[in-house]
Amino acid sequence: MIPVFKIFKEQVLHFPLIWRLALYDIKGKYQMHYLGILWQFINPLIQVCVYWFVFGVGLRQGGAVGDTPFIVFLLLGLIPWFFISPTIVQGSNSVYSKVNLVSKMKFPVSVLPSITIFSNFVNFLVMLAILGLVLFIYDINAGVYLLQIPYYMLCLITFLFSFTLLSSTISAIVRDYQLMVQSLMRMLFFLTPVFWSMDYFSSDIQRFIKLNPFAYIITGFRETFLGQGWFFDDWRYMFYFWSVTLLILVVGSMLHENFKNKFVDYL
């Protein structure tokens, strides 16, 4: 557990640096574009419209999911996914893409995935604000269930950091791994309840779907904003999620500590 505490300490001590570099990354990404940072929201908006038209209008004929309008149901799945997917892909490549720079200065390599996470987290917060407006328009109020939003935020950030820490280490050593991650995220988009409900499937298939940690996060966000349940209602599923997350964190921390001084050798 020593590597875990060491890496956690690095995140806390360098949090101001992480935040500054994340904001710099946001500004620099679109500085040569006329619309600038607006592309952070235009791209997701276009994708939402396409998925809503194909799955909502085309396949469902505009039908609701239970008592929930499909566009609301869709947004509650897509908005977390628009944070998860690019963070996993970019975070997995964060060490390889920047280690040549940080190797020339005193800089903890473990903060590189965190910079990616917080860079995308700003966009996620803005998308949540837009989601709040849509929920207001449809007169959907989750009431006291909104109190568990910080819990699912913690789940999201912790899992993303754990996975990208492990993934960025492997990706720096084995470059084929980055392509595998990209393909995996495309596949998981359709295997995660982003635009469909697990209630459509039998209990056996639901248990299989729940092996995917992303399903826990997205289902939790959806139930929170729709006021359908508390995070502790299914304590076994909660225990499974945190067990997997902490296992990935421990393995990722150990692997990162063993290879952090050798990353330059793999460039």
Side-chain angles (χ1 to χ4, degrees):
M1 294 295 290
I2 295 179
V4 176
F5 291 119
K6 185 175 181 180
I7 286 179
F8 178 75
K9 182 180 178 180
E10 289 178 347
Q11 310 311 304
V12 174
L13 293 178
H14 295 87
F15 182 77
L17 177 64
I18 293 172
W19 189 245
R20 288 199 304 271
L21 291 178
L23 294 178
Y24 176 80
D25 184 56
I26 295 172
K27 295 177 182 178
K29 190 178 297 183
Y30 298 103
Q31 65 178 356
M32 299 302 293
H33 298 72
Y34 287 113
L35 296 180
I37 199 171
L38 288 177
W39 281 109
Q40 287 270 96
F41 316 108
I42 294 175
N43 282 330
L45 180 61
I46 292 174
Q47 294 183 61
V48 167
C49 291
V50 170
Y51 290 131
W52 172 77
F53 182 78
V54 173
F55 297 103
V57 178
L59 297 181
R60 299 184 59 85
Q61 303 299 313
V65 181
D67 297 328
T68 306
F70 183 76
I71 184 62
V72 175
F73 185 88
L74 180 66
L75 285 174
L76 289 171
L78 280 178
I79 288 177
W81 185 258
F82 285 157
F83 177 38
I84 291 170
S85 182
T87 300
I88 291 291
V89 174
Q90 296 166 18
S92 297
N93 199 45
S94 60
V95 170
Y96 180 83
S97 61
K98 294 184 174 66
V99 71
N100 195 31
L101 296 175
V102 302
S103 63
K104 300 176 182 178
M105 60 189 78
K106 189 176 181 181
F107 191 92
V109 183
S110 66
V111 306
L112 293 177
S114 296
I115 294 172
T116 301
I117 292 172
F118 282 97
S119 175
N120 291 325
F121 185 68
V122 174
N123 181 48
F124 177 59
L125 291 178
V126 176
M127 294 296 290
L128 283 181
I130 296 174
L131 172 63
L133 178 61
V134 173
L135 293 175
F136 176 78
I137 293 173
Y138 281 93
D139 195 25
I140 298 175
N141 182 12
V144 294
Y145 289 96
L146 295 178
L147 293 175
Q148 62 188 354
I149 290 179
Y151 167 75
Y152 284 109
M153 289 286 195
L154 177 64
C155 293
L156 186 54
I157 297 296
T158 305
F159 183 83
L160 287 177
F161 176 75
S162 302
F163 189 88
T164 53
L165 181 67
L166 172 63
S167 198
S168 61
T169 303
I170 299 176
S171 182
I173 301 170
V174 183
R175 288 304 297 159
D176 291 19
Y177 179 80
Q178 180 65 21
L179 297 177
M180 292 175 56
V181 169
Q182 296 176 14
S183 299
L184 177 66
M185 295 310 296
R186 295 191 192 101
M187 179 182 69
L188 285 178
F189 173 72
F190 295 98
L191 296 180
T192 304
V194 175
F195 53 84
W196 46 265
S197 174
M198 289 197 297
D199 295 336
Y200 296 151
F201 301 97
S202 65
S203 58
D204 291 335
I205 296 180
Q206 287 187 33
R207 281 193 290 269
F208 174 75
I209 295 172
K210 287 182 176 180
L211 294 176
N212 174 10
F214 298 139
Y216 177 78
I217 296 172
I218 289 181
T219 301
F221 267 101
R222 182 171 283 142
E223 291 180 347
T224 295
F225 283 99
L226 294 179
Q228 295 178 343
W230 293 99
F231 68 90
F232 49 77
D233 288 342
D234 191 349
W235 65 269
R236 292 183 180 86
Y237 195 21
M238 180 179 68
F239 177 77
Y240 165 78
F241 171 80
W242 282 108
S243 297
V244 171
T245 300
L246 294 178
L247 176 62
I248 295 174
L249 178 60
V250 171
V251 175
S253 299
M254 294 173 61
L255 198 64
H256 180 86
E257 285 296 307
N258 287 334
F259 285 94
K260 68 178 182 180
N261 296 322
K262 305 175 185 177
F263 284 138
V264 178
D265 299 336
Y266 292 96
L267 294 179

